[in-house]
Amino acid sequence: MFLAGIFHSNACPVRFQIEDNLGNPLSNITVLADSKTVGVSNNLGVLHFSLESGIYNIELINNDGRKQKATISIDCSKENHFKFTFENLDKKSADLKEVLVQNKTIKTQIEESPFSVQVIDLKKQYDKAGDVGEFLNRASGVKLRTNGNVGSQVQINLGGLQGKAIRLFKDGIPIELFGHGFSLGTIPVNMLDRVEIYKGVMPVYLASDALGGGVNFVSRTSNKNFAEVSYEIASFNTHRTTANLHLQNKNNFYGGFNGSLNYSDNDYKVNVPIQNATNEEFKTVRRFHDMARSNYAEGFIGFKEKSWADDLRLTLIYSDFYKQIQNDAQMVNVYGQAFSKEQNVTGMINYKKKFFDDKLKVSFLTNYGHFNTRFVDTATVRYNWNGEIIGSNLQAGEIRAGNLQKLKYDLVSSRLNMEYQLSDRNFLEFSELFQYQRRKGSDPLGAISPIDGTDVMTIPATYRKDNMALAWRSLWMDNKLESIAAGKYYHYNTNGYTTDNYGAAWKSSKDDSQFGYLAGLKWAEKNYLIKFSYEYATRLPDESEIFGDAVMIRENLDLKPEKSQNLNLNAEYSILRENSSLTFSGGLFYRNAKDGIFLQYDIPFSRYINYEQTEIKGFEFETNYAPVKWLNTGFNVTYQDIRRVGIKEATFRYLNDSRVPNIPFFFGNFWANTYFKNIFKDGDNLNFTWNANYTHRFFLVAIPKNQEPSLFGPVKDFQTSLIIPKDGRIGQFSNDVGVSYRFAAYKTTVSAECKNIGNVMLYDNFNVQRPGRSFHLKLVYNFF
């Protein structure tokens, strides 16, 4: 279609806008050009078609057979947009003096769907410091945990499930296809329009194998020209820059650029054990080998509102990532030279078009990415936390038995979304997501088969999966009630190798298919909103779980998909006034997950196995209150009771019904924001923000249920070292404050923030300490 539009040079796009004499759009108006039908106007009164240059006699015909004629001139060297007024001849009609049109925002439309979903609108947050993960962590029912600062691995907990059970997307495409340059720990706020958080039940248009929900990061777009740059400097020698550009001409040809750069030494202070001459003592030292750097650049061109495409976009992406490795997961072992790096180039095509009088909507996106990754751990010396060498001429490898790993990945992904309007109140939706991955590399210090001397990493490993979904969505009772029912199909295929504990390797493969289904109901009446959703969800094992890392984690092609029964019940009540608002929202959720994929530690190698079965019950509650236009405040709280059930091994049966360890189960957020306009000059804005986070203590290891302390009760002596935090606090509480000012005349915003203002010791995973107090200064400039 694209090539036909380019090479069919004798015709050019034409746009008709048809209204009545009151300015209301008229649909189902048949248009004839020189007595030949060219189309029918849609519900917006718009019709797109193509004509060659020349003069045409136009005839408009409505459903009653009334006609109206006009003559137009088409010049293909110019823009051919025409507006027609179809006179209302109904004598009984009255003139309309005033029309009030209330259009729901995209955020409201999504949140009023039958799914348990929350949308974070970032349009007013571009002046804020940090990455998008900080805003995501403040959402109800969401808990992000990281192993450090900028560039560190970030894990998301959603409704009691976490890690790979929660799928992440960028504009509907799995986020792993964009590389570490675009990840939870590096995504700048300025690059996104909004974040969609789906809890427990995934919508059809994403069609993913998510066990506990997903997060979709929606890129920033505009119908207007804009150019913006930002720069942030912060503690620990942290620097963040972003650039956003979007240009569009009268012929609806557009192009733009989105880019970001993140850098940090991450040299914050930590309290760690240091061995002296006689014993081990804790000291406060600076991290010395934790530097991270990431770059992300995205350029695009496209066309809008053409006869052959509503939107066609071509995108090219480049990203790179470099990360030094400082310590293990429990901050016991310290490293001074190991690092990892990655480069990625991705091309993408996105096509959207409406057919059959806008009844059929089609969206197709495909991309190809090539990754080069390295993991280097070849040091023959050892370090302590002071950065001093305490051992020399040792075996290569600080972390393991040495690695000089090089991997190349080829990734292909395609997504097709279609929606067909059967009637005014019934819709069919279909979506398919296809992914293919091929991995090949080398590691002379890694696994070598003793039989033929083959480096296991040189054997290509392929992974392919298809996810499909078909849904029927209906509206009832004047659109107050909405229902959806859908079926899903999951399939994956792998080809690679299997090794044993002696290093022997042989080729093997696996093929598996699963079915799933979901249902949802929504009732909206005035200030009330009630929703119920259910999904029998499946998560397919991914490439890294099946093939391992060829270092200390071996492959397991016999892994079974994870499955979960997910239920959500949500309600919301709003009181809206002219200058104030009050909203209460809450939800109950239940998850029953089985065949959980679990990393089994063993000597000399570990493998992922199907082991865990968990039952999760919880609730979340949030309130937002704006007593006046210039003040907004609120809080949310989440409790999730995550229990191990169905343990069959006699040795571990005493842990049946115990909490799953190392996962926070009670947490919440508090906030207050002020907005003052026209402070010194018209258009200027002054904002103050306060955000606080509380995370209740949680266990590092599994503890029998009868030995658990009560929620706020005292902790026994033997439990102290097994709890985060282990210093006697009942939980971790931190505060962030900030101020920003918008200079409208200079198109500039300046903001200053202090995070963790109390310099509290914070922990997320095991005993890895997070940064203390940090200061941030950010400048945002809009060119136009």
Side-chain angles (χ1 to χ4, degrees), residues 210 232 392 408 535 615:
E232 175 190 342
S392 303
K408 292 184 178 181
E535 181 172 6
E615 186 177 61

Side-chain angles (χ1 to χ4, degrees), residues 143 146 148 236 268-273 282-285 287 330-331 693-698 723-736 755-774:
K143 185 64 178 176
T146 178
F236 321 124
Y268 57 92
K269 293 181 179 180
V270 291
N271 189 254
V272 294
F282 279 81
K283 289 186 178 180
T284 299
V285 299
R287 300 172 71 88
Q330 295 186 348
M331 290 190 74
N693 175 265
Y694 175 77
T695 303
H696 198 64
R697 65 191 181 196
F698 57 97
I723 289 181
I724 297 178
K726 61 181 180 180
D727 53 14
R729 285 178 290 165
I730 198 170
Q732 305 174 69
F733 187 83
S734 63
N735 293 268
D736 303 337
K755 300 183 184 296
N756 191 5
I757 191 171
N759 200 30
V760 179
M761 293 181 66
L762 302 175
Y763 302 87
D764 268 346
N765 296 317
F766 295 105
N767 289 313
V768 177
Q769 190 173 335
R770 291 174 51 198
R773 183 189 299 115
S774 62

Side-chain angles (χ1 to χ4, degrees), residues 536-703:
Y536 178 59
T538 296
R539 184 184 81 83
L540 304 175
D542 66 15
E543 179 268 346
S544 63
E545 293 167 331
I546 292 174
F547 294 116
D549 62 4
V551 183
M552 296 300 289
I553 301 177
R554 287 293 185 252
E555 63 293 316
N556 183 0
L557 275 74
D558 294 325
L559 279 176
K560 295 183 293 185
E562 297 178 316
K563 304 177 185 67
S564 180
Q565 307 274 358
N566 299 336
L567 293 94
N568 301 284
L569 178 63
N570 302 88
E572 180 179 302
Y573 176 72
S574 300
I575 302 174
L576 304 178
R577 300 287 186 264
E578 183 178 357
N579 295 316
S580 63
S581 64
L582 176 62
T583 302
F584 301 98
S585 60
L588 301 174
F589 57 86
Y590 174 81
R591 313 280 187 261
N592 191 324
K594 65 178 182 177
D595 292 328
I597 297 176
F598 174 78
L599 181 61
Q600 182 186 51
Y601 293 96
D602 201 355
I603 299 175
F605 304 113
S606 302
R607 274 189 169 89
Y608 284 98
I609 63 171
N610 293 106
Y611 178 74
E612 293 283 350
Q613 181 175 351
T614 58
E615 186 177 61
I616 305 165
K617 304 171 185 176
F619 70 86
E620 57 186 64
F621 177 80
E622 179 170 307
T623 181
N624 282 276
Y625 180 48
V628 289
K629 283 186 175 182
W630 54 268
L631 175 63
N632 171 266
T633 185
F635 73 93
N636 60 46
V637 61
T638 301
Y639 178 79
Q640 47 193 25
D641 193 31
I642 313 169
R643 301 283 175 176
R644 300 170 67 182
V645 297
I647 298 178
K648 298 178 181 178
E649 296 88 342
T651 306
F652 300 103
R653 200 168 294 162
Y654 74 100
L655 292 175
N656 200 61
D657 209 27
S658 64
R659 289 191 190 276
V660 175
N662 197 34
I663 300 179
F665 56 87
F666 183 50
F667 50 89
N669 300 276
F670 313 85
W671 61 87
N673 304 299
T674 63
Y675 310 91
F676 301 101
K677 296 183 178 180
N678 306 321
I679 301 300
F680 299 112
K681 291 185 178 181
D682 290 343
D684 285 8
N685 295 318
L686 174 65
N687 298 332
F688 293 97
T689 62
W690 169 70
N691 294 286
N693 175 265
Y694 175 77
T695 303
H696 198 64
R697 65 191 181 196
F698 57 97
F699 290 100
L700 279 172
V701 297
I703 295 178

